[in-house]
Amino acid sequence: MPSPDNASSPHAWAPSHPLEPAEVTEAGFATSLPAEDFKALFRGHPAGVSVITADAGDGPVALTATSVASVSADPPLLIFSISTLSSAAATLARAETVVVHLLDADDIDLARLGATSGVDRFADESRWTRLTTGEPVYRGVRAWVRCAVINRMDAGTSTVIAAHALQSHIERDVAPGESGDALVHHNRSWHRLSEGSRLDG
């Protein structure tokens, strides 16, 4: 976007649809993108898939998330968001630590489990265990990282959680430059990235 110095230039950026005056929203903005337009933007934006687990003392919870992102390598920080309507929200609002499972295509069944409402995600006791520090962790996933929650922020109907990585395990490593077998969620469906999906250059 151009700086104010070139705003009068004939080549200056302008919105394709001029903004109409609007009443100030609850958030204090004169304009706000409609929810359906916002959803349409992200339908075409693929995201990696993770499952997040925690236990605040009243039993383990798990959910599938596509919002996990690394923030810093030193210190090792990541963020993710959860809906306040999620069945896991109350536990994640209190948990001091979480385990973020970073999935690949071999973990598709776990991704589906964490995304399915009304099921016991820990019914199959052979599928998960607890770390020595007490957190629930699923067996055999591509990788997981145990984190300490360092901050929470309310954002609309979600909560953004920042966490500091404490411990990790990689079951199936991916060498630099290799495609691996990544699991991606795109336009309401699961996809596998592979050598055939790589674009050179």
Side-chain angles (χ1 to χ4, degrees):
M1 185 176 292
S3 66
D5 293 337
N6 65 3
S8 60
S9 165
H11 302 292
W13 175 89
S16 57
H17 301 288
L19 299 176
E20 298 293 336
E23 295 182 1
V24 175
T25 65
E26 291 182 4
F29 298 102
T31 60
S32 184
L33 192 66
E36 289 305 313
D37 290 358
F38 191 75
K39 292 176 183 178
L41 285 173
F42 281 88
R43 275 200 297 273
H45 186 71
V49 182
S50 303
V51 164
I52 299 164
T53 59
D55 190 341
D58 49 4
V61 298
L63 77 159
T64 297
T66 57
S67 57
V68 174
S70 62
V71 175
S72 166
D74 188 13
L77 304 178
L78 59 82
I79 60 171
F80 60 90
S81 65
I82 60 165
S83 168
T84 55
L85 301 178
S86 168
S87 60
T91 295
L92 287 168
R94 305 190 317 276
E96 296 181 357
T97 57
V98 298
V99 177
V100 178
H101 304 68
L102 303 172
L103 310 186
D104 64 13
D106 288 342
D107 302 315
I108 181 62
D109 288 343
L110 179 59
R112 289 173 174 148
L113 177 66
T116 302
S117 300
V119 298
D120 183 352
R121 295 163 184 160
F122 296 91
D124 184 352
E125 296 185 359
S126 68
R127 194 169 197 171
W128 66 283
T129 186
R130 288 187 184 270
L131 300 176
T132 57
T133 45
E135 297 88 353
V137 60
Y138 285 103
R139 304 178 191 272
V141 298
R142 187 193 74 80
W144 56 258
V145 55
R146 181 173 71 91
C147 303
V149 174
I150 59 173
N151 205 351
R152 294 178 176 88
M153 181 185 74
D154 293 335
T157 58
S158 294
T159 300
V160 179
I161 296 177
H164 184 116
L166 303 173
Q167 174 189 1
S168 69
H169 172 75
I170 300 177
E171 185 79 10
R172 295 183 292 279
D173 200 2
V174 180
E178 290 188 358
S179 59
D181 208 16
L183 178 63
V184 171
H185 193 262
H186 176 250
N187 198 15
R188 303 179 181 178
S189 59
W190 312 102
H191 296 264
R192 178 202 304 264
L193 295 185
S194 63
E195 189 64 30
S197 63
R198 186 206 303 246
L199 299 176
D200 294 326

